[in-house]
């Protein structure tokens, strides 16, 4: 039967009743999850809760033992080989550490997916790669550098540039700010936000970084007890009655993350308003 939902109603990624396991070790059971077009979703959960396995399952790198995964409203298992290939090109992935080839320059790294999937002159590929380098805020000169010549933040940006090489609609990020200092992490968050807006991306991000959750995520999904326990905006998620959620969102690091510059600015504006009213009285 045809799906009666409109294009806007259909989640871009939709997983229903997912079961994954390694031998007798069940990782996800009856897990439902979806990501809507254009949103930035943060996926959090304790260590070993199954975030990476879920991402790999959505990516098709691990076959689930049960359930269905739909992209753009169509079940992945119904895709033809051509459609599967086109879908793969619509998904960019930034793995932890960037996963760059150490023997290639930044430009050559970005050209790898272009060479693999597109039939076009090398010169044009070089130009496309350089455009991506510019897009992620790397200096032009970094095109000819090797990963070992880059700082941690630059490596992440180079990895991001490569994941965007084929102009995907969906971006998967695995702990993108891990290992960056707070300034570098904030700059990377800002970059993700502006790329989402400029390129109309849909982003799923595994993260432990509370600052990222507060700064850029539209919704946050929490993986607990083998499924998505709560999935909503942060205000709702942080109040969810589960021991892991409470520990995660009520600790000192969470309180610090909540005191974002935007919130501090708002508090200052309120202070100024109150003081202004007081002096006028
Ligand atoms: N290839 C594999 N073979 C067997 N077990 C695996 C495999 N990959 C993952 N697991 C198990 O699946 C569970 C979930 O692992 P996963 O890496 O998804 O956790 P995570 O939530 O991403 O953790 P972390 O935050 O520490 O990275 C763990 O118990 C892990 O040991």
């Amino acid at each position: 039967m045809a799906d009666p939902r409109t294009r806007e109603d259909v989640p871009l990624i939709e997983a229903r009743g997912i079961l994954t396991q390694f031998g007798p070790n069940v990782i996800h059971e009856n897990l439902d999850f979806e990501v809507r077009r254009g949103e930035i979703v943060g996926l959090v959960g304790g260590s070993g809760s199954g975030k990476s396995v879920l991402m790999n399952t959505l990516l098709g790198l691990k076959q689930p033992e049960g359930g269905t995964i739909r992209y753009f409203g169509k079940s992945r298992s119904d895709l033809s080989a051509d459609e599967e290939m086109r879908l793969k090109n619509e998904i960019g992935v930034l793995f932890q550490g960037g996963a760059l080839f150490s023997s290639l320059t930044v430009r050559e790294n970005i050209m790898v997916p272009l060479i693999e999937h597109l039939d076009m002159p090398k010169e044009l590929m070089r130009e496309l790669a350089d455009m991506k380098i510019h897009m992620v805020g790397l200096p032009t000169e970094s095109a000819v550098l090797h990963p070992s010549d880059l700082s941690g933040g630059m490596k992440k940006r180079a990895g991001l540039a490569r994941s965007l090489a084929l102009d995907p609609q969906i971006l998967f990020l695995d702990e993108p700010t891990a290992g960056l200092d707070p300034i570098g992490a904030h700059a990377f968050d800002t970059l993700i936000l502006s790329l989402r807006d400029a390129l109309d991306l849909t982003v799923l991000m595994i993260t432990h970084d509370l600052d990222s959750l507060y700064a850029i995520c539209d919704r946050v999904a929490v993986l607990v007890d083998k499924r998505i326990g709560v999935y909503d905006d942060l205000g709702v998620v942080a109040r969810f009655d589960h021991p892991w959620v409470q520990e995660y969102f009520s600790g000192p690091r969470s309180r610090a993350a909540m005191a974002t510059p935007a919130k501090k600015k708002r508090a200052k504006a309120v202070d100024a308003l109150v003081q202004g009213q007081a002096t006028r009285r």
Side-chain angles (χ1 to χ4, degrees):
M1 201 175 86
D3 193 330
R5 297 173 296 184
T6 65
R7 181 177 179 272
E8 278 65 36
D9 289 342
V10 176
L12 212 151
I13 308 170
E14 190 176 13
R16 296 282 168 237
I18 298 298
L19 170 69
T20 58
Q21 56 193 105
F22 293 100
N25 188 14
V26 175
I27 312 299
H28 308 117
E29 196 171 17
N30 208 12
L31 179 148
D32 292 335
F33 182 53
E34 94 284 317
V35 182
R36 298 181 203 131
R37 197 175 292 271
E39 64 181 348
I40 301 181
V41 168
L43 178 61
V44 300
S47 189
S49 59
K51 302 180 293 295
S52 300
V53 173
L54 179 57
M55 188 177 274
N56 288 341
T57 306
L58 296 175
L59 281 169
L61 301 174
K62 168 161 176 52
Q63 286 309 311
E65 276 64 34
T68 53
I69 294 171
R70 292 173 176 270
Y71 277 90
F72 303 97
K74 196 157 181 191
S75 172
R76 193 156 196 170
S77 52
D78 292 342
L79 299 183
S80 65
D82 268 6
E83 286 174 322
E84 177 66 29
M85 178 58 79
R86 274 203 295 279
L87 174 62
K88 278 188 176 147
N89 292 349
E90 290 294 358
I91 307 172
V93 191
L94 175 60
F95 289 106
Q96 270 191 56
L100 297 165
F101 296 108
S102 56
S103 59
L104 303 181
T105 64
V106 170
R107 181 189 285 136
E108 288 164 347
N109 262 286
I110 301 168
M111 284 170 67
V112 169
L114 300 177
I115 293 168
E116 205 176 325
H117 295 283
L118 304 180
D119 182 20
M120 60 165 68
K122 279 270 169 61
E123 190 44 45
L124 199 53
M125 288 187 189
R126 270 184 220 111
E127 278 176 30
L128 280 178
D130 288 359
M131 272 171 57
K132 304 295 172 192
I133 287 171
H134 179 70
M135 192 185 270
V136 299
L138 282 173
T140 313
E141 314 80 77
S142 58
V144 293
L145 298 180
H146 285 82
S148 57
D149 303 323
L150 305 176
S151 69
M154 289 171 87
K155 270 188 205 144
K156 300 258 184 192
R157 282 172 192 255
L160 184 61
R162 193 181 59 188
S163 68
L164 295 172
L166 295 169
D167 296 324
Q169 295 190 52
I170 305 168
L171 191 57
F172 281 27
L173 307 169
D174 191 358
E175 300 216 31
T177 57
L180 299 183
D181 62 46
I183 295 171
H186 176 68
F188 200 84
D189 282 343
T190 309
L191 174 65
I192 296 296
L193 199 54
S194 56
L195 287 174
R196 186 275 300 266
D197 294 342
L199 306 176
D200 208 10
L201 290 168
T202 299
V203 181
L204 174 61
M205 171 170 80
I206 293 181
T207 186
H208 287 287
D209 189 336
L210 281 155
D211 287 316
S212 297
L213 294 182
Y214 283 104
I216 65 168
C217 290
D218 299 304
R219 289 199 292 165
V220 173
V222 184
L223 193 44
V224 283
D225 307 329
K226 302 182 171 46
R227 63 193 72 179
I228 303 295
V230 59
Y231 188 15
D232 214 310
D233 68 47
L234 257 179
V236 176
V237 170
R239 287 196 303 273
F240 185 65
D241 188 14
H242 185 281
W244 186 85
V245 176
Q246 283 311 305
E247 196 179 338
Y248 186 69
F249 285 101
S250 306
R253 294 190 65 225
S254 175
R255 284 197 294 275
M258 269 191 279
T260 58
K263 284 187 184 148
K264 280 184 196 152
K265 205 168 145 195
R266 223 176 302 139
K268 263 189 182 167
V270 173
D271 277 355
L273 194 70
V274 171
Q275 277 182 6
Q277 283 170 350
T279 38
R280 251 180 269 128
R281 266 190 223 127

